[in-house]
Amino acid sequence: MARSHSAQRKLGFTNTLLVSLFTLLPLAASFGTHGHHHRRDLNERQVNMTYPAPADPAAPAAPAGAFWLEGVEHQGISAFNPNPAEYKVFRNVKDYGAKGDGSTDDTEAINSAIQEGSRCGKGCDSSTITPALVYFPAGTYVVSKPIVAMYYSQLVGDATNRPVIKGSPSFEGMALVDSDPYESDGSNWYTNQNNFFRAVRNMVFDTTAMPLEAGTALHWQVAQASSLVNIHFELSKAEGNKHQGIFMDNGSGGFMSDLSFAGGNICAFFGNQQFMTRNMSFTGCQTAITVNWNWQWTFKSVHISGGKVGLDISTMNTNGSQNVGSVILLDSSITDTEVGLLTTRNETVSPATGGSALLDNVKLTNVGAAVADPAGTQILAGGTTTIDLWGQGHVYDKTGALSVAQGPLKRSFPKPTALLDASGAVFERSRPQYTDVPASKFISARSQGLKGDGATDDTAAMKKLFSSYGGSDSVIFFDHGVYIVSDTIVIPVGTRVVGEAWSVIMAAGTPFQDAANPAPVWQIGNSGDEGVVELSELLFQTRGPQPGAIMLQWNSRDPAGQQGANGMWDVHIRVAGTRGTELEVAQCIKNPNATVTTPDPKCEVAFMLLHVGKTASLYTENSWAWTSDHALDKPFDQISVYNARGIYVESEQGPVWMYAAASEHNQLYQYQLHSTSNVFLAMMQSETPYYQSNPGATSPFASLPAWNDPTYETCTTKTCAKSWGLRVIDSKQTLVYGAGFYSFFENYDQECIPGQTCQDSITDIQNSQISIYQLNTIAATSMIDYNGEKIVPASENNGTMARCVMMFDA
């Protein structure tokens, strides 16, 4: 959710929650008000220092220092930093004096490692020219104040022997790690909906030595391109403790996976516009998860054992209305817990779709009530059983008939077996961290002659790199930098690539100039290829206008019996709005007061962001395809740049899995599926371009029949010819588990939001077999068009802010 500096979106109820959110934090941990009687020596409270194994069950044990990231040479550069030769991208906290010995206070040393180099802190809001990967070798790091994770930071531990961040008994502050500090007046360092490009992985957070009434591990108030991966939270198990693993009060995310929690009061306290979490385990939490407010949250593979409440969505605001929009709990289990889902939704609920919930393949073992309200009224019986499909909220079929459900639901078609694992759950795969690959097998791009300096054409050197090491048992390591490519780079099957703090591939060349004859920047295999391809930690951009560029094209597919062998994790496509793109405020500042009939060609960015080809299969996790609506580097303002198409999938057989794949601000559509089969989409999120309808979706790029583009030929009003959030054409066996399609502006004006009139229609389903769960839209008059008819009106589905449909089948 990319929010501009000059026209912040109106969140309505979310801003009013700020005061109440503060009251929910353990006060001593939040503001350092605990007295001397709470202070203890570390030795006074003994804790079990044996933590669960890394979340990746395939990760082998290894001695400290064996993780490849610690062993490779670090040559990354920030190409557009004022002093790239001196600026450090990679920082090892021990080089700054941190001991990790379990007794020394390492707070100052760790924060020094993060802050070095005039980085983006308080008052900066955003910057892409001061990235940092801050590495923690194995050890126990005691902290007495928050570690402040500054903008564009990754905090990364040894994946073979995760480091421990341990709060001291005298800890003062909101949380052990704080991604968006609060000032005394309630303001934050960063605009929460713009708090992009954050990561923490391979860590253990330990609050057990902190006072019982004050212990929060992580304040995680973030937006897109953020992730938490492979983290354990060790919290107090003492009676009456108020410890929390994660406190999230706002934002627009986002993704988490492979997290475990032990002990604590509310282990995960969540509030965010939309979010995706996967593979989380909770043991002995009083409440595993509280969702304080949201529009949509998709929970996948959550395993809860012990405690009073599994998932609490019962929060009401001061007017007695629902704070929670919608949630999904998929492929999960709840054991020895009093209440699985706590909800206040009933037949008189306000707003009409507030508190929508879907339980899909949820296994119960010794659960008191599967679903109940705070008064103890049982809505769905517990015990030991498996819930196939149960929901509460609004249900539509393809005729447009509305029913209000609170009970069992019937699927219109079985889940496609191609999308499932051997257990019958939807397939998932954690990000590969190559813990079994020695540092000597990592091939540095810069050591092979690539410059990554944002100026040199690295095309020839990059082609040679993949010719020499692609398809081998090596891992190609793109040191942080900006690598200019002027021609298509073909990635052979059998290739594994990992970047460093989002290494940039920047397109700039004649082959990318012809919108009638587009060419991919990176092409993954050729049509019909089978084999393994893995990408992680990369970012694709253009330098200046490249109207014929397909930023990333995927053609290869999984070999038989190897689900998810083609995958990308934390790979983003971000066009315009940052230093070096030549598509910033100076070139493309918005101008809503002028009638735009022919947009400026120098602001026509690309042809398409992601293309999944006809023979491809693909697994993606946490990928953001963003045509920038505003500048991330000073001077800040909104910009009007034009990218024709977002994510286009035409995989005829699949399977395709997309977890937390967002697509925003593209001219013709954000997502399009055409003649596909076996596609799973979890927590989709899109926004219509802010400039539309000035111009509308028909300008500047032409609709091309060869690419099955929408034509808008029947439109007679300006609110009709606007970008589709999702088009599904002639496709089958399609599953959507959580979606948010938003239209916040009419030519940069937001007066259309209250009446839901910013655009006519936002979801287009034609001749397709599809199930959509928890569809949320903002300011589109029709939520779903089916075979050309507007069948689901927003007016019937009033929600917390987004309009919500719990289930749609066609």
Side-chain angles (χ1 to χ4, degrees):
M1 177 76 51
R3 245 178 243 203
S4 71
H5 295 75
S6 59
Q8 296 295 318
R9 294 186 197 130
K10 312 273 187 225
L11 283 183
F13 67 92
T14 60
N15 290 332
T16 68
L17 291 176
L18 185 58
V19 174
S20 62
L21 287 170
F22 278 124
T23 67
L24 291 167
L25 272 170
L27 289 179
S30 303
F31 302 107
T33 57
H34 57 278
H36 293 289
H37 63 285
H38 297 313
R39 301 174 70 88
R40 298 174 175 85
D41 293 328
L42 277 174
N43 293 332
E44 193 171 326
R45 182 176 297 169
Q46 299 296 324
V47 298
N48 180 6
M49 295 300 288
T50 302
Y51 301 103
D56 179 2
F67 188 38
W68 66 268
L69 188 59
E70 195 167 336
V72 298
E73 182 182 4
H74 289 281
Q75 307 172 76
I77 59 171
S78 179
F80 302 118
N81 186 278
N83 189 5
E86 298 297 326
Y87 182 84
K88 295 179 182 178
V89 175
F90 181 87
R91 300 109 186 270
N92 186 321
V93 296
K94 289 197 171 182
D95 292 339
Y96 294 78
K99 302 299 183 184
D101 58 11
S103 58
T104 304
D105 188 335
D106 286 324
T107 310
E108 184 175 347
I110 293 171
N111 279 326
S112 294
I114 295 171
Q115 294 167 8
E116 183 188 25
S118 301
R119 300 200 61 225
C120 182
K122 179 182 176 182
C124 165
D125 204 67
S126 67
S127 172
T128 68
I129 64 174
T130 55
L133 193 161
V134 183
Y135 181 70
F136 292 73
T140 297
Y141 300 85
V142 176
V143 295
S144 57
K145 292 182 180 179
I147 298 168
V148 179
M150 304 180 89
Y151 193 90
Y152 230 92
S153 290
Q154 295 191 2
L155 309 185
V156 181
D158 181 343
T160 67
N161 190 0
R162 291 180 295 183
V164 179
I165 309 298
K166 185 175 180 64
S168 74
S170 58
F171 184 88
E172 296 188 1
M174 177 169 276
L176 300 182
V177 171
D178 195 340
S179 67
D180 196 5
Y182 278 103
E183 295 297 307
S184 58
D185 63 357
S187 63
N188 290 104
W189 281 24
Y190 309 104
T191 303
N192 63 77
Q193 296 87 1
N194 290 345
N195 203 8
F196 311 133
F197 296 100
R198 307 302 199 108
V200 180
R201 62 182 176 272
N202 311 331
M203 296 279 189
V204 173
F205 291 107
D206 185 338
T207 67
T208 56
M210 298 166 68
L212 296 182
E213 67 278 13
T216 298
L218 184 58
H219 177 219
W220 195 242
Q221 181 169 280
V222 295
Q224 283 85 353
S226 65
S227 64
L228 301 177
V229 174
N230 191 24
I231 300 172
H232 176 69
F233 298 86
E234 188 70 16
L235 312 174
S236 174
K237 298 177 179 65
E239 186 72 25
N241 80 81
K242 301 297 183 185
H243 286 203
Q244 297 180 126
I246 301 173
F247 177 74
M248 176 191 291
D249 40 337
N250 216 324
S252 175
F255 179 76
M256 306 175 190
S257 71
D258 309 317
L259 310 183
S260 59
F261 302 76
N265 181 31
I266 300 175
C267 281
F269 182 95
F270 290 148
N272 202 285
Q273 291 176 10
Q274 68 285 312
F275 222 93
M276 173 77 220
T277 52
R278 186 189 61 70
N279 192 24
M280 304 172 72
S281 67
F282 299 85
T283 304
C285 305
Q286 290 302 297
T287 296
I289 303 168
T290 291
V291 179
N292 187 57
W293 77 273
N294 76 341
W295 299 341
Q296 162 56 23
W297 201 299
T298 299
F299 294 97
K300 165 81 165 71
S301 303
V302 174
H303 303 289
I304 299 166
S305 179
K308 295 181 179 179
V309 178
L311 174 57
D312 182 355
I313 61 167
S314 65
T315 309
M316 310 280 281
N317 64 26
T318 55
N319 296 322
S321 297
Q322 300 279 316
N323 272 345
V324 174
S326 60
V327 298
I328 292 172
L329 185 62
L330 170 65
D331 294 338
S332 297
S333 66
I334 305 173
T335 301
D336 297 330
T337 303
E338 295 178 18
V339 177
L341 175 71
L342 190 67
T343 178
T344 47
R345 182 176 172 84
N346 55 37
E347 64 275 6
T348 62
V349 68
S350 175
T353 65
S356 293
L358 183 85
L359 307 180
D360 187 324
N361 188 29
V362 178
K363 181 180 180 180
L364 307 181
T365 304
N366 191 30
V367 173
V371 183
D373 68 18
T377 302
Q378 181 173 279
I379 299 170
L380 177 64
T384 298
T385 186
T386 297
I387 301 168
D388 176 52
L389 190 65
W390 183 97
Q392 56 183 24
H394 284 195
V395 177
Y396 284 86
D397 63 20
K398 61 186 179 183
T399 71
L402 166 64
S403 60
V404 180
Q406 190 172 43
L409 302 170
K410 184 177 180 180
R411 305 178 196 276
S412 64
F413 60 93
K415 293 176 184 174
T417 56
L419 295 171
L420 307 181
D421 64 19
S423 74
V426 177
F427 175 80
E428 59 189 60
R429 184 184 173 199
S430 295
R431 169 179 170 160
Q433 299 212 54
Y434 307 115
T435 53
D436 57 343
V437 179
S440 60
K441 285 290 186 179
F442 284 78
I443 306 301
S444 161
R446 296 198 73 213
S447 292
Q448 295 300 312
L450 283 78
K451 300 299 183 183
D453 59 10
T456 302
D457 188 338
D458 281 320
T459 305
M462 194 178 296
K463 288 183 176 182
K464 183 180 179 181
L465 171 67
F466 283 110
S467 175
S468 300
Y469 295 100
S472 72
D473 62 352
S474 298
V475 179
I476 296 174
F477 177 55
F478 273 79
D479 319 79
H480 188 87
V482 177
Y483 298 86
I484 302 294
V485 294
S486 58
D487 196 6
T488 297
I489 306 294
V490 178
I491 314 300
V493 296
T495 300
R496 298 177 293 177
V497 181
V498 61
E500 181 181 35
W502 306 292
S503 305
V504 176
I505 309 301
M506 181 174 276
T510 301
F512 310 131
Q513 291 299 310
D514 187 357
N517 186 29
V521 180
W522 269 26
Q523 176 185 314
I524 311 302
N526 295 302
S527 181
D529 281 356
E530 287 190 358
V532 175
V533 180
E534 297 172 352
L535 307 182
S536 56
E537 208 70 46
L538 299 171
L539 193 150
F540 292 83
Q541 293 190 293
T542 72
R543 183 177 69 190
Q546 308 292 326
I550 299 172
M551 301 305 295
L552 182 60
Q553 182 183 80
W554 208 287
N555 294 311
S556 64
R557 64 178 296 101
D558 300 341
Q562 297 185 46
Q563 280 184 307
N566 281 266
M568 62 182 194
W569 296 261
D570 298 293
V571 173
H572 308 292
I573 303 167
R574 181 187 70 202
V575 290
T578 61
R579 192 68 74 243
T581 62
E582 300 175 11
L583 296 159
E584 299 181 71
V585 169
Q587 295 86 15
C588 302
I589 192 169
K590 69 173 183 179
N591 188 8
N593 296 321
T595 300
V596 180
T597 54
T598 304
D600 191 336
K602 73 173 181 289
C603 299
E604 296 177 11
V605 184
F607 182 89
M608 182 182 293
L609 299 185
L610 172 63
H611 177 212
V612 182
K614 292 182 179 181
T615 66
S617 61
L618 179 61
Y619 181 97
T620 74
E621 203 166 79
N622 193 32
S623 295
W624 184 29
W626 187 47
T627 298
S628 300
D629 61 276
H630 71 280
L632 294 185
D633 293 303
K634 293 180 179 178
F636 298 131
D637 209 327
Q638 289 177 309
I639 56 175
S640 291
V641 295
Y642 307 92
N643 178 73
R645 300 157 187 86
I647 296 174
Y648 180 39
V649 180
E650 53 176 349
S651 174
E652 294 176 344
Q653 299 178 27
V656 173
W657 301 269
M658 290 188 172
Y659 289 92
S663 180
E664 299 187 290
H665 314 138
N666 304 296
Q667 176 199 321
L668 291 166
Y669 58 78
Q670 311 312 315
Y671 306 84
Q672 177 167 284
L673 279 57
H674 190 279
S675 298
T676 63
S677 184
N678 302 312
V679 176
F680 172 84
L681 304 164
M683 201 53 261
M684 309 171 73
Q685 185 258 316
S686 77
E687 290 183 2
T688 301
Y690 298 175
Y691 59 77
Q692 287 184 352
S693 58
N694 183 29
T698 58
S699 179
F701 292 92
S703 293
L704 301 178
W707 291 89
N708 301 300
D709 289 337
T711 63
Y712 301 96
E713 60 188 4
T714 62
C715 288
T716 59
T717 65
K718 65 180 183 180
T719 52
C720 173
K722 288 198 170 187
S723 178
W724 291 101
L726 170 66
R727 300 185 80 222
V728 183
I729 315 298
D730 298 333
S731 296
K732 59 184 179 180
Q733 296 182 307
T734 304
L735 298 176
V736 176
Y737 279 79
F741 303 144
Y742 314 137
S743 186
F744 286 106
F745 293 90
E746 161 53 35
N747 188 25
Y748 292 99
D749 186 273
Q750 295 189 299
E751 295 304 314
C752 55
I753 291 179
Q756 301 293 295
T757 58
C758 293
Q759 73 183 75
D760 291 358
S761 301
I762 205 162
T763 309
D764 182 21
I765 311 296
Q766 298 181 31
N767 304 316
S768 294
Q769 180 191 47
I770 186 170
S771 290
I772 304 177
Y773 302 109
Q774 305 298 23
L775 169 66
N776 288 263
T777 70
I778 291 178
T781 304
S782 173
M783 298 176 69
I784 299 176
D785 289 18
Y786 182 74
N787 288 344
E789 300 294 326
K790 295 174 171 54
I791 64 166
V792 180
S795 59
E796 292 182 351
N797 298 289
N798 187 37
T800 53
M801 178 168 177
R803 272 49 179 173
C804 181
V805 169
M806 188 262 291
M807 180 175 176
F808 171 80
D809 274 332

